[in-house]
Amino acid sequence: MAPAPNAVPAGIVALLPKLSDADADIRYMSLSDLDNILKTGSAGFLTNEYHTCARTVDCLLKTLDDTNGEVQNQAIKCIGSLTPRAPPELLPPMVEKLSTLKTTNSVDASIPATALRVFITAFPRSITGAQPTKSTQEAYSAISKVLIPRLVGYVVMSNGSRNQPTPPPGMLEVHADNTIDSNAIDVLIELIRCFGSMLQDPEKNALQKSTMAIFDNERTGTIAKKKAVLAISLLAVYMSDILLNTFVYSILESLNKPNLTAAQHRLLITMVGSLARTVPQRFGQYLRQLIPFILGPLSEQAYRDALEDTADTGTADTEADEVREAALLALEGFLSSCSNDMRPYTDEAMQAAIRFVAYDPNVSADTEDEEMGGTRDSVADDDDADPEEEDEDFEEEGAVSDDDDASWKVRRCAAKALYAIISTRSNGDLLENGILYEKIAPVLISRFREREENVRVEVLSSLTALVRKTSDNMITPFSFAGETEFELSSAVEVRSRKRRRLGSDATLFESPAISQAGFKSPDASPLPSSGPKADLARLSSSIIRGVSNLLQQSTLITKQSGIALLRDMVNAQNGGLSEHLGIIAEPVIDAIRSPTGHPTSHSAGAVAQASTGKLRIEALQLVGAICDNHSSTLIAPYASNLVVAVIAAVQDKYFKVSGEAIMAVESLIKVLTPPRSAGTLQANRNHVEKLYNVVLERTVATDADVEVRQRAIHALGVLLVRGSELNQVRVLSDAQRMKTVGVLLDRLRNETTRVSAAKAIDMFLSSCKDASVIQKDWTRDVAIELGTQLRKANRGLRGVSLATLRDLVGNAAALSCLDDKTVQAVTEMLFPLVSSHDLNLLGMALIIFAKLVRQSPKNVVNARLITSLCDVVVAPLGGAVLDALLVLLKAIGEQKVGQPLMQSLLQDVGVNGDPTVVGKAIGTLVVSGGTTVGVKLDDFVTELHSAPDDKRKCLALSVLGEAGYRLGSSSPLEPGLFTKYFGSKSQSLPRAAATALGRAGAGNVKTYVPVILTTTSEAGSSQYLSLHAIKEILQFTGQARSDISPYIKQMWEKLIAASQAEDNKAVGAECIGRLTVIEPKTFLPSLQVRILILVRSHRREITNPLSQGYLHNAEPSVRGMAIQAIRFTLSDSDETFDEVLRPILVPMLRAMMNDPNLENRRLALGVLNSATHNKADTILPNLTELVPLVMKESIIKPELIREVMMGPFKHKVDDGLEVRKVRANRNLWAEKIPMDLFSRIIAGLEDEHEIKVLSNLMLSKLVYIDAEETSRHLDSIAERYRSILAFKPKENAVKQEVEKLNEANKGVLKVTLLLHEVVPAKSSAGNNVQSEKWKGYWDWVKENFRSQLAIMEQELRSQTA
């Protein structure tokens, strides 16, 4: 009965008689065929078939009252398929018939309401501010005309006709039997969700009144009332400010009624809490009036009265407890959704939550004291107790709870409120001043003995949140999700600009630092005297003892929560379990040994379902944290049991358990092997042998998950590193090592594990220098295989392979294993990377070539390499890539094979490239090659004097400058050779002469610096050019420090004087900054005084006689020069400089950012950005001082916006835009996120294009830093994002405007996808009233930007594949 390929109305007509067939199977199959026709047909194939559609609707209505449930369900599907294709004029009667349908044969009374909901959801969802589609508009017209009057019982929006029929009683009205159909409320909820933005104010008002009437009916069921709360909360999203104001004040009037029943009180409070979650931005203004009604039932007096009433009557007042539960839930909603507005009421909210988290009227005060004392007592008594007796005691405590006791719900909601306080206020004062640890933490610890598991888990979660907020840098669990992402820039850039400027070629061959975490036994961190970590340290003992008791007697989910708390404590304190390892070791080992399954917690209504797999993962993560942060001596007594348990977990079939166990194996290997276990290797060798065998087995196992194999490969790499001669010990035997490296080579050839294998080989080659260990055949095979990977399309794979190949040739023992054939093969595979298209890969490729040239120059330097190098030299190179190129050219020259390359550089390149780059290349080759390159230094001197054009002279100057630098004191070049061109009228020649002068002067300070300082005293262009020469010299202070010291004071004075000129300020500031790094004790305090005095001098007259000349100058540009100078000191400094800078950096930043000049504040934000990146240890502890200054500059200031005339048009110019562009580095927010940060970022989404891009970028980072806080602002983000995506450029928009719009849209869609991936629950429909606008926005994006989302999702997956 399959439908024809081309659906036609005739096919529908043929099926309609079969819908009345006596056979239920025929009715069902006919409906199925009808549904297929409706779905496969074009959108408009029924537009003109009114009668056919009307007959179809009538037949479907009859099948809705079918006696067969499957037929009814299929009929509902057909309604959903028919509705969007039906003629518009059929929609009103269709709604009318559905809303008045009465089922007589069906047992399920919800069928008509379900059909109505399907009708409503069949149309595209309306979005606030977006133009609805034609079909949505037609559907809303039918709903407004028929369904809304049908819900409320009267006509709301009159269409102008006088004789409108009176609708029947409303579906939301009280029925004759004093009941309300809850299914009608479901229809209302769906209507609001899909058409809420299109509802008119009278309709919203009518729906609100009808919904509120439900609460007034005492016989309304609990389910109906809960649905009504959801409906009114959703409606509030679309209420106007006036309507919302009226509604809230009506709630206030109801709360003020003297005869308010407990049930009504609870519902009103529940409604208030729900409103806070749905419309937090607009609801905060009403908290002042509402908070007394929330805190009233939670007062101290109410608490005492409840306990007294229970003592008198013997039973708790269930209705009063329900009111308290609702009040605490509302309080949690206020705290989490309206955190800024709740700040004045934080103390009252905290006291209420603390008070009722211990509310248990069924337990006497003496028993409660014993429970609290049991947690604080030493564990000696617990250790003597029989575990079976403890379990019985715990069960007896739990037996107090019964169906009539609802006090546990109050305690659970109180714990949630405390969690809200911790999560929203731990980024500011409450954590820093110790309030959270002084008032909340002890109460949470005392509730570890809570008899109800739901409450106990919430308590543990709250305390875990506090510990996480205390941690400076929480350790993220290992994940291979992004293992192919390779930070290519880090692979090329050396670890500091300072070291690069030393001019040592060796620094370019340094491999990326091998992770040293766990390689040495961690030193005991000194206990801080104050602050959150000190507060945590003081409570650690109580927390650990309390958790240890829970691990011995609690249920699965409690154990999981307790272990997670311990793990976060270890990470936050970098240890902390040294004195208590004995009481938690065995319970944790037992948790690892638990057989993997998926049983759920035995407690009814548990917070979450926990499986033994999750418990084992948490326990394994804790083991890894303990091993990485504690001495091997402390772990040694438990090593045997740990190894056995972890090995069993590695062999588990559940890949997540096995993968996490391998991570624990890595940590154990570091504990059991030297240098951490120096002298005990023989005792641990059996353990290491077992760990090695299980890891090797997982590496080669074909049935193991890919992620498990990848982690096992990494663990093998760690084993090889631990057995290298760096530790002066052989952990693995020669046979084991040979087998291991063979396995790694085999894994390198496997597509799924090649990235992990390359990284493991990289670790091994970076640590092993013993030629007897590195096999020739293996090394050659690895080199060839790595070269083969360079041809792959995956850029991340190429980057990892290239980095490993760089470390291979950087290892002298490995390089010596390569024969000429292998070198030639690798060279051929490297040639495609010698291109300026990818500078990151180019830098590493040049480094590899430099090593291979020294190994086999004739096989490497050929015509192809020369052609490639000539193409590269033409590109604008700089930084580490240029340094790598010069190292390669130096190697070519030293190996006496540079003459062909020199000829090509002179003939084929010449002046076609950047004279600076080409000149450095030729100069390096001239000096290193000597007489073998075919040209001499004198040839370029002659060229300089005789060249007919400036380009050739600039090239000659650059060559001579580089040659002078490399020849050093033996250079025959005199300063006058360069300074004579300072007065040239050419635009480029004087600057080239200054750069060359400085470059040559860096190699011969005694000869050049006195001449340069003399020229600096001259006014005009010569002074400016001399500053550039000084800047070039100061970039090589690492080499020239001993030589430059006699001139430092004179140079400082010259620089200060020369920088007064407007044109000299920028370059002068850089020179002053670099000179300050050389002598920080002398110049840094002087620079600080200058900054502070200059800022103050703008505000008041300086009368201090010391403040003359430069200090007396109150010009903003002079202060700006001083601020810029500080910025240049931050990235090139060493420990000596940091010691001087550390105590004065924050005061200087504070003074800079308070500068009255706008441009100087912009420069100051740049300094803060650099300081956050380079001096995080100094900046992060002082964020409370600096963050408000940053936030202040992110606000649009109307006084800085002015109008300028551009021809006949007026154009607005925002002078504050440049300041707002300078955003602080994201590391600034990784430590503590200010409460108003999100509001400023969201405001930035409405700013100029540049600010939108930066705000969007910050959101993409914050979603990972604090996903919970980000999720609270999704509705506001959705509004801004929708407006960005919905914006349409003008028809005459220029190309730049269209490109900006496309860039903004792409960024918005990317972050939208990230937000959906991180918090997917917020994007899905459900009964959660939060983020309703975000859900609608997500549906709108999926419908309108489906193709773009698919492309971006594919890009994200390829990045994490």
Side-chain angles (χ1 to χ4, degrees), residues 745 748-749 776-786:
L745 176 59
L748 183 63
R749 292 166 175 159
K776 290 185 177 181
D777 292 340
W778 178 84
T779 306
R780 295 168 184 172
D781 290 342
V782 167
I784 296 296
E785 189 61 35
L786 290 173

Side-chain angles (χ1 to χ4, degrees), residues 349-416:
M350 189 187 307
Q351 291 301 327
I354 290 173
R355 186 179 302 122
F356 279 92
V357 78
Y359 172 72
D360 197 350
N362 289 324
V363 178
S364 65
D366 294 338
T367 305
E368 183 70 20
D369 291 341
E370 289 177 5
E371 286 186 2
M372 294 183 183
T375 303
R376 291 189 295 267
D377 290 342
S378 65
V379 297
D381 296 337
D382 295 328
D383 293 339
D384 295 337
D386 187 353
E388 295 182 1
E389 294 179 0
E390 289 179 352
D391 292 339
E392 293 175 1
D393 294 341
F394 191 82
E395 291 174 1
E396 289 176 2
E397 286 182 346
V400 177
S401 176
D402 52 48
D403 295 337
D404 296 329
D405 177 25
S407 64
W408 68 270
K409 297 180 181 179
V410 177
R411 299 194 299 276
R412 181 186 62 180
C413 294
K416 289 184 176 181

Side-chain angles (χ1 to χ4, degrees), residues 1021-1309:
S1021 60
S1022 296
Q1023 186 181 66
Y1024 173 77
L1025 295 171
S1026 298
L1027 292 178
H1028 277 282
I1030 292 175
K1031 182 185 77 170
E1032 196 72 23
I1033 291 175
L1034 292 176
Q1035 290 181 347
F1036 298 90
T1037 52
Q1039 277 188 326
R1041 178 173 299 190
S1042 58
D1043 295 331
I1044 206 174
S1045 55
Y1047 310 100
I1048 284 181
K1049 185 176 180 181
Q1050 183 184 2
M1051 188 177 292
W1052 175 266
E1053 295 173 352
K1054 297 283 188 181
L1055 288 173
I1056 293 296
S1059 300
Q1060 303 299 305
E1062 185 66 30
D1063 294 340
N1064 298 343
K1065 284 185 175 57
V1067 63
E1070 182 173 356
C1071 294
I1072 291 172
R1074 300 198 186 285
L1075 198 58
T1076 302
V1077 175
I1078 300 175
E1079 291 290 341
K1081 295 182 180 179
T1082 303
F1083 299 132
L1084 192 56
S1086 176
L1087 198 57
Q1088 178 198 18
V1089 171
R1090 282 170 164 78
I1091 290 176
L1092 297 177
I1093 291 181
L1094 285 172
V1095 171
R1096 295 166 187 161
S1097 68
H1098 190 83
R1099 300 174 180 170
R1100 64 176 183 271
E1101 190 69 25
I1102 296 180
T1103 58
N1104 190 329
L1106 295 177
S1107 58
Q1108 297 178 357
Y1110 173 69
L1111 294 180
H1112 186 67
N1113 194 325
E1115 286 296 324
S1117 58
V1118 179
R1119 300 198 302 275
M1121 180 271 295
I1123 293 172
Q1124 285 181 289
I1126 292 295
R1127 182 169 68 88
F1128 286 109
T1129 67
L1130 298 175
S1131 58
D1132 293 342
S1133 55
D1134 51 20
E1135 186 59 34
T1136 303
F1137 177 82
D1138 289 344
E1139 292 178 0
V1140 182
L1141 177 68
R1142 196 171 291 115
I1144 64 176
L1145 177 58
V1146 173
M1148 283 196 299
L1149 285 170
R1150 194 166 52 242
M1152 295 175 194
M1153 296 177 68
N1154 282 314
D1155 193 290
N1157 182 264
L1158 182 67
E1159 176 62 18
N1160 287 349
R1161 294 202 301 275
R1162 184 188 71 82
L1163 295 174
L1165 286 172
V1167 175
L1168 176 59
N1169 198 357
S1170 179
T1172 305
H1173 181 77
N1174 295 287
K1175 311 295 177 187
D1177 55 340
T1178 303
I1179 297 298
L1180 295 182
N1182 297 278
L1183 287 181
T1184 52
E1185 298 180 54
L1186 299 173
V1187 165
L1189 300 175
V1190 177
M1191 303 302 292
K1192 181 178 66 175
E1193 297 300 332
S1194 67
I1195 301 173
I1196 298 177
K1197 299 176 181 178
E1199 64 272 16
L1200 297 178
I1201 301 176
R1202 53 189 172 88
E1203 283 189 350
V1204 297
M1205 296 298 298
M1206 298 183 67
F1209 304 103
K1210 290 184 178 179
H1211 181 68
K1212 287 187 176 181
V1213 176
D1214 187 354
D1215 293 330
L1217 179 62
E1218 294 300 321
V1219 178
R1220 298 199 302 277
K1221 284 183 184 179
V1222 185
R1223 65 179 180 90
N1225 190 287
R1226 67 183 175 93
N1227 293 334
L1228 188 64
W1229 317 121
E1231 172 80 7
K1232 296 180 181 67
I1233 299 177
M1235 294 187 65
D1236 55 347
L1237 174 63
F1238 279 95
S1239 62
R1240 298 309 319 143
I1241 292 178
I1242 292 171
L1245 295 174
E1246 298 177 312
D1247 208 325
E1248 298 294 332
H1249 171 75
E1250 295 84 353
I1251 309 300
K1252 287 180 184 177
V1253 173
L1254 293 175
S1255 299
N1256 210 38
L1257 180 61
M1258 292 187 71
L1259 270 180
S1260 67
K1261 308 302 180 184
L1262 287 170
V1263 69
Y1264 293 110
I1265 294 174
D1266 196 340
E1268 183 179 6
E1269 185 64 26
T1270 305
S1271 66
R1272 296 191 180 106
H1273 301 271
L1274 286 179
D1275 281 350
S1276 299
I1277 296 171
E1279 291 180 5
R1280 276 69 177 184
Y1281 275 3
R1282 195 213 58 79
S1283 63
I1284 294 173
L1285 294 175
F1287 178 78
K1288 302 297 181 183
K1290 298 179 181 179
E1291 294 182 359
N1292 59 348
V1294 298
K1295 180 181 178 181
Q1296 290 80 357
E1297 292 178 349
V1298 176
E1299 290 176 350
K1300 285 183 177 180
L1301 180 63
N1302 292 336
E1303 180 188 4
N1305 289 350
K1306 185 176 180 180
V1308 165
L1309 289 174

Side-chain angles (χ1 to χ4, degrees), residues 65 110 144 172 212 312 484 494 546 571 654 735 739 960 976 1000 1136 1190 1204 1246 1309 1348:
D65 194 23
S110 67
S144 177
L172 296 176
M212 291 300 294
D312 293 339
T484 57
V494 294
N571 290 332
Y654 185 34
K739 184 177 182 179
L960 294 172
T1136 303
V1190 177
V1204 297
E1246 298 177 312
L1309 289 174
Q1348 294 95 318

Side-chain angles (χ1 to χ4, degrees), residues 563 566-567 570 577 588 617-627:
I563 289 175
L566 290 177
R567 179 201 62 208
V570 173
L577 299 185
V588 171
I617 290 172
E618 295 285 354
L620 289 165
Q621 290 178 355
L622 174 58
V623 168
I626 291 174
C627 291

Side-chain angles (χ1 to χ4, degrees), residues 85-145:
R85 291 172 171 78
E89 57 271 18
L90 183 63
L91 297 181
M94 186 175 180
V95 175
E96 178 69 26
K97 292 178 180 180
L98 286 173
S99 62
T100 56
L101 178 65
K102 301 294 182 182
T103 56
T104 57
N105 299 322
S106 174
V107 178
D108 188 357
S110 67
I111 290 295
T114 304
L116 272 174
R117 292 167 57 195
V118 170
F119 172 89
I120 293 170
T121 57
F123 297 95
R125 187 173 181 172
S126 65
I127 304 296
T128 303
Q131 183 67 29
T133 62
K134 182 180 178 181
S135 61
T136 303
Q137 185 65 48
E138 292 169 347
Y140 166 70
S141 178
I143 288 171
S144 177
K145 182 180 179 180

Side-chain angles (χ1 to χ4, degrees), residues 356-499:
F356 279 92
V357 78
Y359 172 72
D360 197 350
N362 289 324
V363 178
S364 65
D366 294 338
T367 305
E368 183 70 20
D369 291 341
E370 289 177 5
E371 286 186 2
M372 294 183 183
T375 303
R376 291 189 295 267
D377 290 342
S378 65
V379 297
D381 296 337
D382 295 328
D383 293 339
D384 295 337
D386 187 353
E388 295 182 1
E389 294 179 0
E390 289 179 352
D391 292 339
E392 293 175 1
D393 294 341
F394 191 82
E395 291 174 1
E396 289 176 2
E397 286 182 346
V400 177
S401 176
D402 52 48
D403 295 337
D404 296 329
D405 177 25
S407 64
W408 68 270
K409 297 180 181 179
V410 177
R411 299 194 299 276
R412 181 186 62 180
C413 294
K416 289 184 176 181
L418 291 176
Y419 180 92
I421 293 174
I422 292 170
S423 62
T424 58
R425 295 299 303 276
S426 56
N427 291 324
D429 53 334
L430 295 188
L431 183 63
E432 296 296 334
N433 61 18
I435 295 295
L436 296 180
Y437 275 103
E438 179 183 346
K439 294 185 177 181
I440 294 181
V443 176
L444 293 175
I445 296 171
S446 70
R447 298 309 304 168
F448 280 2
R449 298 295 293 269
E450 166 66 47
R451 56 191 176 85
E452 194 66 39
E453 186 175 43
N454 291 275
V455 185
R456 192 164 57 243
V457 172
E458 289 293 344
V459 167
L460 290 168
S461 298
S462 299
L463 192 56
T464 301
L466 180 56
V467 172
R468 286 179 177 173
K469 294 291 185 178
T470 304
S471 176
D472 291 339
N473 185 20
M474 291 301 297
I475 298 176
T476 304
F478 184 89
S479 174
F480 272 87
E483 75 157 355
T484 57
E485 278 296 289
F486 183 72
E487 296 295 336
L488 298 172
S489 58
S490 64
V492 180
E493 295 285 349
V494 294
R495 279 191 281 277
S496 75
R497 296 170 61 192
K498 183 73 170 188
R499 297 182 66 182

